[in-house]
Amino acid sequence: MSRETSAPELERTLAAAAAAARPFAASTPAERAGWLEAAAAALDAEAEELIALAHTETHLPAAPRLKGELARTTFQLRLFGQVLRDGAFLGATVDHADAEWPMGPRPDIRRVLVPIGPTLVFAASNFPFAFSVAGGDTASALAAGCPVVLKAHPGHEGLSTRTGEIVVGALAAAGAPAGVFAVIHGFEQGVTALKDPRIQAASFTGSVPGGRALFDIAVSRPTPIPFYGELGSVNPVVVTPGAVAQRGEAVAKAYAGSFSLGAGQFCTKPGLLFLPEGHGLDDVLREAVGAVTGQPMLNERIAQGFAHKLSELRQAPGVTTVVDGTHQGESFTPSLLSTTAKEFLAGGEAVREEHFGPASLIVTYSDADELIGVLDTLEPGLTATVQGEADEADYVRPLLPSLTRLAGRLLWNDWPTGVTVSWAQQHGGPYPATTAPTTTSVGTAAIERFLRPVAWQGFPDELLPEPLQEGNPWQLPRRTDGAR
């Protein structure tokens, strides 16, 4: 039976988040770091229970998948603790008054980032820990000083409830203000919260139709709010002639493992593989893909949606089958299909759109010019990959403007399905990959989505926030009069 938050409970949750906004924003970065670390420790302590719940509700294997994902989740919380203690995320900048400023006398003006306010986070279906209740969006919003209302995904409601209980309890025990975190359930409750004027930002990971509908609500409110949606991506992989010649078999095997990983239910799954004509890898691909056993999809709705999209792809003009995957109930073996660049350019949406599941499409190209022509027609996404050789720089260089247009993360001789959490990570891209292409939802820069700049002009030192006071009491990295 589906869980739904009652209207009175939702109102209490939103009111509590609004009431917590000022004291939470007034907390120091060090205090928030301690609260996030307490939440991480509490989740680690209940790992066995949480992993068992996640396995039951999502069909994902307990080990290594869910065990590793929970470790990623608590690592994220601790990493944002490091971000907070470092202090550079505040962007503190001081310009002293300067009577000789070239454009005229300059006043004393100081700029810092502040929390944007209560934030609504929509959890994802395919990562029940890392992009869910205590996932990256929650971690980065809490680190920024924003109370979080978490809309649970219906695919793992029991896990969401239990994870929420652990996080709420850990934050309270560590001294965080009441109301800084809560979990709600129900589609209509999520929409109601998104429309509520107390919510100041929202984030989402999921499908293009669902994310676009929520984005439209967010920007159509009487007071529009930022909506950070991660929606869809086909993640093209380009294999050069040199890579085929030098290590084609290894590339083919690694590709088969990448697109079928987790039953193809990754936003970074390589959905298109560009191979030069006459690549000669068909037999290797058949063997590698055919050796992958069936894997259950996350739930019946996703399984049915994938089966429908795969049927459309199989029937598209010019598409041939390399490996004809099978399915039994919600469990699928991977499917691999192929077409030519010319047929791809003439094809419709069936060959171009993301297929959320274990299927991928090979596109053969005749030369670099034809390849660039196809790349320039692709819909943007999260990643673009090149499998090439060191001596092919002159061949690859002309491809890079097209690949840069397409994606927020470019990979060389790697596979896009792994998205590490780090300081330099970029997990975002032009629409429809995301609704805000200047941001990332993974890595330390994800905190920037939930902060806004405020400049203080002419204020006495005692009224300035600590990051901007002359004595720099928090010892932050700052830019002062243009110098770092």
Side-chain angles (χ1 to χ4, degrees):
M1 181 177 179
S2 178
R3 308 177 187 216
E4 288 196 356
T5 299
S6 68
E9 185 181 358
L10 178 61
E11 170 57 30
R12 289 193 296 271
T13 297
L14 293 170
R22 285 190 179 181
F24 197 38
S27 63
T28 68
E31 287 173 330
R32 294 202 295 277
W35 298 335
L36 292 178
E37 289 158 0
L43 291 169
D44 281 339
E46 303 299 334
E48 185 175 350
E49 176 193 1
L50 294 174
I51 290 169
L53 270 172
H55 172 66
T56 298
E57 291 188 307
T58 68
H59 304 148
L60 294 171
R65 170 60 195 273
L66 291 171
K67 182 178 179 181
E69 190 186 326
L70 180 56
R72 174 193 179 99
T73 302
T74 57
F75 170 80
Q76 286 181 149
L77 290 163
R78 294 184 174 98
L79 182 61
F80 277 107
Q82 294 181 37
V83 171
L84 289 164
R85 290 191 168 94
D86 172 78
F89 78 97
L90 289 166
T93 306
V94 174
D95 287 338
H96 291 104
D98 184 357
E100 305 301 322
W101 190 241
M103 63 165 288
R106 182 183 75 193
D108 185 282
I109 188 164
R110 305 176 183 221
R111 185 180 188 269
V112 73
L113 300 178
V114 302
I116 199 167
T119 296
L120 177 65
V121 173
F122 289 86
S125 64
N126 57 335
F127 284 88
F129 291 122
F131 286 83
S132 188
V133 175
D137 286 352
T138 294
S140 52
L142 290 175
C146 300
V148 169
V149 176
L150 187 290
K151 160 58 179 68
H153 193 277
H156 38 83
E157 291 184 318
L159 174 68
S160 298
T161 297
R162 182 65 185 125
T163 305
E165 291 170 351
I166 293 168
V167 173
V168 168
L171 292 174
V180 298
F181 182 75
V183 174
I184 62 171
H185 296 266
F187 173 79
E188 291 299 334
Q189 289 78 352
V191 171
T192 298
L194 183 60
K195 293 178 178 179
D196 193 282
R198 290 166 290 195
I199 293 296
Q200 297 298 299
S203 67
F204 169 89
T205 301
S207 69
V208 173
R212 183 54 194 254
L214 294 172
F215 171 81
D216 289 345
I217 291 171
V219 299
S220 299
R221 296 178 8 155
T223 303
I225 59 172
F227 183 88
Y228 302 109
E230 182 203 312
L231 312 183
S233 183
V234 295
N235 307 299
V237 176
V238 171
V239 185
T240 66
V244 170
Q246 294 297 318
R247 49 189 175 87
E249 183 175 345
V251 169
K253 290 179 178 178
Y255 160 68
S258 183
F259 90 78
S260 64
L261 184 68
Q265 298 169 114
F266 284 75
C267 56
T268 51
K269 181 200 77 176
L272 293 174
L273 181 73
F274 289 92
L275 286 173
E277 289 179 355
H279 54 80
L281 297 175
D282 285 341
D283 289 343
V284 177
L285 286 164
R286 287 191 188 97
E287 183 178 355
V289 175
V292 180
T293 58
Q295 302 172 74
M297 305 289 279
L298 290 162
N299 55 56
E300 183 180 1
R301 181 185 61 81
I302 290 174
Q304 290 177 347
F306 171 68
H308 175 71
K309 290 290 185 183
L310 180 57
S311 176
E312 291 182 341
L313 179 59
R314 284 172 171 154
Q315 297 172 37
V319 172
T320 61
T321 298
V322 180
V323 177
D324 194 7
T326 61
H327 75 94
Q328 184 173 5
E330 297 173 16
S331 184
F332 289 76
T333 62
S335 296
L336 181 60
L337 301 103
S338 181
T339 190
T340 66
K342 290 183 177 62
E343 293 284 3
F344 184 88
L345 288 171
E349 287 301 308
V351 299
R352 295 172 177 272
E353 62 186 358
E354 178 186 23
H355 297 82
F356 192 70
S360 191
L361 178 67
I362 295 170
V363 181
T364 57
Y365 63 92
S366 59
D367 55 31
D369 288 339
E370 184 174 54
L371 173 59
I372 290 171
V374 176
L375 292 175
D376 286 344
T377 70
L378 294 184
E379 196 172 67
L382 293 166
T383 74
T385 300
V386 177
Q387 292 285 339
E389 297 301 299
D391 60 1
E392 292 183 293
D394 289 341
Y395 187 92
V396 172
R397 190 174 293 109
L399 307 178
L400 296 181
S402 298
L403 298 177
T404 302
R405 177 195 72 83
L406 284 174
R409 181 165 59 107
L410 306 184
L411 296 92
W412 173 259
N413 290 344
D414 206 343
W415 297 97
T417 15
V419 188
T420 192
V421 182
S422 71
W423 298 82
Q425 185 59 273
Q426 173 60 30
H427 190 64
Y431 186 87
T434 64
T435 57
T438 58
T439 67
T440 179
S441 62
V442 178
T444 60
I447 195 173
E448 296 169 6
R449 298 172 296 167
F450 306 111
L451 297 163
R452 67 178 182 87
V454 174
W456 301 68
Q457 183 170 324
F459 273 73
D461 198 61
E462 62 269 21
L463 292 179
L464 288 170
E466 285 89 341
L468 299 180
Q469 289 175 6
E470 192 66 18
N472 194 7
W474 291 355
Q475 295 299 295
L476 298 173
R478 300 198 308 196
R479 181 182 291 275
T480 301
D481 296 330
R484 295 185 188 277

